[in-house]
Amino acid sequence: MREVDYDQVGVEIGHTTILRDVTVHAPRGSFLGIIGPNGSGKSTMLRCLYRALDPTEGRVQVGDRDITSISMRDNARQVAALTQRIALDFDFTAAEVVATGRLPHRSLTTSTARRDREICVQAMSDAGVTHLVDRAFTSLSGGEAQRVLIARAFAQEPEVLVLDEPTNHLDVRHQYAVLRAARDREVTVVAALHDLNIAAQFCDRLVVLAHGRVAATGTPREVLTPAAIHRFFGIGSHVFDHPRLNVPQVIFDEKEVE
Ligand SMILES: Nc1ncnc2c1ncn2[C@@H]1O[C@H](COP(=O)(O)OP(=O)(O)OP(=O)(O)O)[C@@H](O)[C@H]1O
């Protein structure tokens, strides 16, 4: 696992500035949550890490290397992404989709097929999709498909796992199971999350994006205050301690305005 650094990252698309001066550090092995309202730049920030997009300003580093200085394939060996937009038109089975996670590691000279298979079996087990192996990917429910894609990201054995709204489509048990599986891996996680209570339970640190800029950073306890939640999300709230875990939990209240 490697650390991730955004250093004064800016993204301009057309004549629109989407991200500006984003400087963020995720220590190796940490779980960094990116939160913020719709359109604040979360996905764009993540796209710069899995190289769907290169910044127009600044740079993104994994370990001590600017990721634009290495090949896409080398970056795919170190960064796996679960993204919002995935087009799989071919009728792959779930197992075949997971196996595509091994492609960046395929060497032309040495056969690692057996090891690849073992890694995929473990990844499917970790994501709780072993029972879906032979199913056509296109026949899966939204939540099943999401978990298969998480297994594919696990199979990639990355140093850095990028999760863009990973709990989309998942029922509450699977939301927790998938994020726990991500946290328990030897990996640095950078995740865009809408659910503030999930963010508080799983993230070591949070970054709040607003209008493409870093508006706040800190531990969940530092960031998730009623005042901040109102400022960034425009809704009142009450923040309590989780009865067992030492983390804040939020109850929203439209009438409660700071
Ligand atoms: N290719 C593009 N061309 C023009 N505008 C774009 C492009 N990609 C993103 N944007 C705009 O940039 C802003 C940030 O988008 P982004 O998807 O990063 O936000 P987000 O915080 O992930 O939003 P959400 O919570 O709704 O998923 C939005 O206003 C979006 O419309």
Side-chain angles (χ1 to χ4, degrees), residues 2 49-51 65 67-80 100-110 112 116 156-159:
R2 299 204 176 121
L49 180 52
Y50 60 85
R51 290 205 66 192
R65 286 165 89 186
I67 58 174
T68 60
S69 72
I70 62 175
S71 69
M72 292 281 191
R73 183 184 168 115
D74 282 345
N75 200 50
R77 283 198 187 113
Q78 62 176 7
V79 178
T100 62
R102 298 304 302 158
L103 289 177
H105 295 281
R106 278 277 159 83
S107 151
L108 294 175
T109 49
T110 53
T112 55
D116 283 349
Q156 214 167 317
E157 290 201 311
E159 308 273 349

Coordinates of all heavy atoms in Angstrom, one line a residue, residues 2 49-51 65 67-80 100-110 112 116 156-159:
R2 N 0.4 2.3 -0.6 CA 1.1 3.5 -0.8 C 0.3 4.7 -0.4 O -0.9 4.6 -0.4 CB 1.6 3.7 -2.2 CG 2.5 2.5 -2.7 CD 3.3 2.9 -3.9 NE 4.2 1.8 -4.2 CZ 4.2 1.2 -5.4 NH1 3.5 1.6 -6.3 NH2 5.1 0.2 -5.6
L49 N -7.2 10.2 -9.9 CA -6.4 9.2 -9.3 C -6.4 7.9 -10.1 O -5.3 7.3 -10.1 CB -6.9 9.0 -7.8 CG -6.3 8.0 -6.9 CD1 -4.7 8.2 -6.8 CD2 -6.9 8.1 -5.5
Y50 N -7.5 7.6 -10.7 CA -7.4 6.4 -11.5 C -7.2 6.7 -13.0 O -7.4 5.8 -13.9 CB -8.7 5.4 -11.3 CG -10.0 6.0 -11.6 CD1 -10.6 5.9 -12.8 CD2 -10.8 6.5 -10.5 CE1 -11.9 6.4 -13.1 CE2 -12.1 7.0 -10.8 CZ -12.6 6.9 -12.0 OH -13.9 7.4 -12.3
R51 N -6.9 7.9 -13.3 CA -6.5 8.4 -14.6 C -7.5 8.3 -15.7 O -7.2 8.1 -16.8 CB -5.2 7.8 -15.0 CG -4.0 8.2 -14.2 CD -2.7 8.1 -14.8 NE -2.6 9.0 -16.0 CZ -1.6 8.9 -16.9 NH1 -0.7 8.0 -16.7 NH2 -1.5 9.7 -17.9
R65 N 5.6 9.0 -6.7 CA 5.6 9.3 -8.2 C 4.3 9.9 -8.7 O 3.2 9.5 -8.3 CB 5.7 7.9 -8.9 CG 7.2 7.4 -8.8 CD 7.2 6.0 -9.2 NE 7.4 5.8 -10.6 CZ 7.4 4.6 -11.2 NH1 7.1 3.5 -10.5 NH2 7.6 4.5 -12.5
I67 N 1.5 10.3 -11.0 CA 1.0 9.2 -11.8 C 0.9 9.4 -13.3 O 0.8 8.5 -14.0 CB -0.4 8.7 -11.2 CG1 -1.4 9.8 -11.3 CG2 -0.3 8.1 -9.8 CD1 -2.8 9.4 -10.9
T68 N 1.0 10.7 -13.7 CA 1.1 10.9 -15.1 C 2.4 10.6 -15.7 O 2.6 10.6 -16.9 CB 0.7 12.4 -15.5 OG1 1.6 13.3 -14.8 CG2 -0.7 12.7 -15.0
S69 N 3.4 10.3 -14.8 CA 4.7 10.0 -15.3 C 4.9 8.5 -15.6 O 5.9 8.0 -16.0 CB 5.8 10.5 -14.4 OG 5.8 9.6 -13.2
I70 N 3.9 7.7 -15.2 CA 3.9 6.2 -15.5 C 2.8 5.8 -16.5 O 1.9 6.6 -16.7 CB 3.8 5.4 -14.2 CG1 2.4 5.7 -13.5 CG2 4.9 5.8 -13.2 CD1 2.2 4.8 -12.3
S71 N 3.0 4.6 -17.0 CA 2.0 4.2 -18.0 C 0.6 3.9 -17.3 O 0.5 3.7 -16.1 CB 2.5 2.9 -18.7 OG 2.4 1.9 -17.8
M72 N -0.4 4.0 -18.2 CA -1.8 3.7 -17.7 C -1.8 2.3 -17.0 O -2.4 2.0 -16.0 CB -2.8 3.7 -18.8 CG -3.0 5.0 -19.4 SD -4.1 5.9 -18.4 CE -4.5 7.3 -19.4
R73 N -1.1 1.3 -17.7 CA -1.0 0.0 -17.2 C -0.3 -0.1 -15.8 O -0.8 -0.8 -14.9 CB -0.3 -0.9 -18.2 CG -0.3 -2.4 -17.8 CD 0.5 -3.2 -18.9 NE 0.8 -4.5 -18.4 CZ 0.3 -5.6 -19.0 NH1 -0.5 -5.5 -20.0 NH2 0.6 -6.8 -18.5
D74 N 0.8 0.6 -15.7 CA 1.4 0.6 -14.4 C 0.5 1.2 -13.3 O 0.5 0.8 -12.2 CB 2.8 1.4 -14.5 CG 3.9 0.5 -15.1 OD1 3.6 -0.7 -15.2 OD2 4.9 1.1 -15.5
N75 N -0.2 2.3 -13.7 CA -1.1 2.9 -12.7 C -2.2 1.9 -12.4 O -2.6 1.8 -11.2 CB -1.7 4.2 -13.2 CG -2.2 5.1 -12.1 OD1 -1.5 5.2 -11.1 ND2 -3.4 5.5 -12.1
A76 N -2.7 1.1 -13.4 CA -3.8 0.2 -13.1 C -3.3 -1.0 -12.2 O -4.1 -1.6 -11.5 CB -4.3 -0.4 -14.4
R77 N -2.0 -1.2 -12.1 CA -1.4 -2.2 -11.2 C -1.5 -1.7 -9.8 O -1.5 -2.4 -8.8 CB 0.0 -2.5 -11.5 CG 0.2 -3.4 -12.7 CD 1.6 -4.1 -12.7 NE 1.7 -4.8 -14.0 CZ 2.6 -4.5 -14.9 NH1 3.4 -3.4 -14.8 NH2 2.7 -5.2 -16.0
Q78 N -1.4 -0.3 -9.6 CA -1.4 0.2 -8.3 C -2.7 0.8 -7.8 O -2.9 1.0 -6.6 CB -0.2 1.2 -8.1 CG -0.3 2.4 -9.0 CD 0.8 3.4 -8.7 OE1 1.8 3.1 -8.0 NE2 0.8 4.5 -9.3
V79 N -3.6 1.2 -8.8 CA -4.8 1.9 -8.4 C -6.0 1.1 -9.0 O -6.1 1.0 -10.2 CB -4.9 3.3 -8.8 CG1 -6.2 4.0 -8.5 CG2 -3.7 4.1 -8.3
A80 N -6.9 0.6 -8.2 CA -8.1 0.0 -8.7 C -9.3 0.9 -8.4 O -9.3 1.5 -7.3 CB -8.3 -1.4 -8.1
T100 N -11.2 -9.9 -15.1 CA -10.6 -8.8 -15.8 C -9.8 -7.9 -14.9 O -8.9 -7.1 -15.3 CB -11.7 -7.9 -16.5 OG1 -12.6 -7.3 -15.5 CG2 -12.5 -8.7 -17.5
G101 N -10.0 -8.0 -13.6 CA -9.2 -7.3 -12.6 C -7.8 -7.7 -12.6 O -6.9 -7.0 -12.2
R102 N -7.5 -8.9 -13.2 CA -6.1 -9.4 -13.2 C -5.3 -8.9 -14.4 O -4.1 -9.1 -14.5 CB -6.1 -10.9 -13.2 CG -6.6 -11.6 -11.9 CD -6.0 -11.1 -10.6 NE -4.6 -11.3 -10.6 CZ -3.7 -10.6 -9.8 NH1 -4.1 -9.7 -9.0 NH2 -2.4 -10.9 -9.9
L103 N -6.1 -8.3 -15.4 CA -5.4 -8.0 -16.7 C -4.2 -7.1 -16.5 O -3.2 -7.4 -17.2 CB -6.4 -7.3 -17.6 CG -7.5 -8.3 -18.2 CD1 -8.5 -7.5 -19.1 CD2 -6.8 -9.4 -19.0
P104 N -4.2 -6.1 -15.7 CA -3.0 -5.2 -15.6 C -1.8 -6.0 -15.1 O -0.6 -5.5 -15.3 CB -3.4 -4.1 -14.6 CG -4.9 -4.2 -14.5 CD -5.3 -5.6 -14.8
H105 N -2.0 -7.1 -14.5 CA -0.9 -7.9 -13.9 C -0.4 -9.0 -14.8 O 0.7 -9.6 -14.6 CB -1.3 -8.6 -12.6 CG -1.6 -7.6 -11.5 ND1 -0.7 -6.9 -10.8 CD2 -2.8 -7.1 -11.1 CE1 -1.2 -6.1 -9.9 NE2 -2.6 -6.2 -10.1
R106 N -1.1 -9.2 -15.9 CA -0.7 -10.3 -16.8 C 0.7 -10.0 -17.4 O 0.9 -9.0 -18.0 CB -1.7 -10.4 -17.9 CG -2.9 -11.3 -17.5 CD -2.6 -12.7 -17.7 NE -3.6 -13.5 -16.9 CZ -4.8 -13.9 -17.3 NH1 -5.2 -13.5 -18.4 NH2 -5.5 -14.6 -16.5
S107 N 1.5 -11.0 -17.3 CA 2.8 -10.8 -17.9 C 2.9 -11.6 -19.2 O 2.2 -12.6 -19.3 CB 3.9 -11.3 -16.9 OG 5.0 -11.8 -17.7
L108 N 3.6 -11.1 -20.2 CA 3.6 -11.8 -21.5 C 4.5 -13.1 -21.4 O 4.4 -14.0 -22.1 CB 4.1 -10.9 -22.5 CG 3.2 -9.7 -22.9 CD1 3.9 -8.8 -23.9 CD2 1.9 -10.2 -23.4
T109 N 5.4 -13.1 -20.4 CA 6.4 -14.2 -20.4 C 6.1 -15.2 -19.4 O 6.4 -16.4 -19.6 CB 7.8 -13.6 -20.1 OG1 7.7 -12.7 -18.9 CG2 8.4 -12.8 -21.2
T110 N 5.5 -14.9 -18.3 CA 5.2 -15.9 -17.3 C 3.7 -16.2 -17.1 O 3.0 -15.2 -17.0 CB 5.8 -15.5 -15.9 OG1 5.3 -14.3 -15.6 CG2 7.3 -15.5 -15.9
T112 N 0.7 -16.9 -15.0 CA 0.3 -16.9 -13.6 C -1.2 -17.2 -13.5 O -1.9 -16.8 -12.5 CB 0.5 -15.5 -13.0 OG1 -0.1 -14.5 -13.8 CG2 2.0 -15.1 -13.0
D116 N -3.7 -16.3 -10.5 CA -4.8 -15.3 -10.8 C -6.1 -15.9 -10.4 O -7.0 -15.2 -9.8 CB -4.9 -15.1 -12.3 CG -3.8 -14.1 -12.8 OD1 -3.1 -13.5 -11.9 OD2 -3.6 -14.0 -14.0
Q156 N -7.8 -7.0 -8.4 CA -6.7 -6.2 -9.0 C -5.5 -6.0 -8.0 O -4.5 -5.6 -8.4 CB -7.3 -4.8 -9.4 CG -6.7 -4.2 -10.6 CD -7.5 -3.0 -11.1 OE1 -8.7 -3.1 -11.1 NE2 -6.8 -1.9 -11.5
E157 N -5.7 -6.4 -6.8 CA -4.7 -6.3 -5.7 C -3.9 -5.0 -5.8 O -2.7 -5.0 -5.9 CB -3.7 -7.5 -5.8 CG -4.3 -8.8 -5.5 CD -3.3 -9.8 -5.1 OE1 -2.3 -10.0 -5.9 OE2 -3.4 -10.5 -4.1
P158 N -4.7 -3.9 -5.6 CA -4.0 -2.6 -5.8 C -3.3 -2.2 -4.5 O -3.6 -2.7 -3.4 CB -5.2 -1.7 -6.1 CG -6.3 -2.3 -5.3 CD -6.1 -3.8 -5.3
E159 N -2.5 -1.1 -4.7 CA -2.0 -0.4 -3.5 C -3.0 0.6 -3.0 O -3.1 0.9 -1.8 CB -0.7 0.4 -3.9 CG 0.3 -0.4 -4.7 CD 1.2 -1.1 -3.7 OE1 1.2 -0.8 -2.5 OE2 2.0 -2.0 -4.2

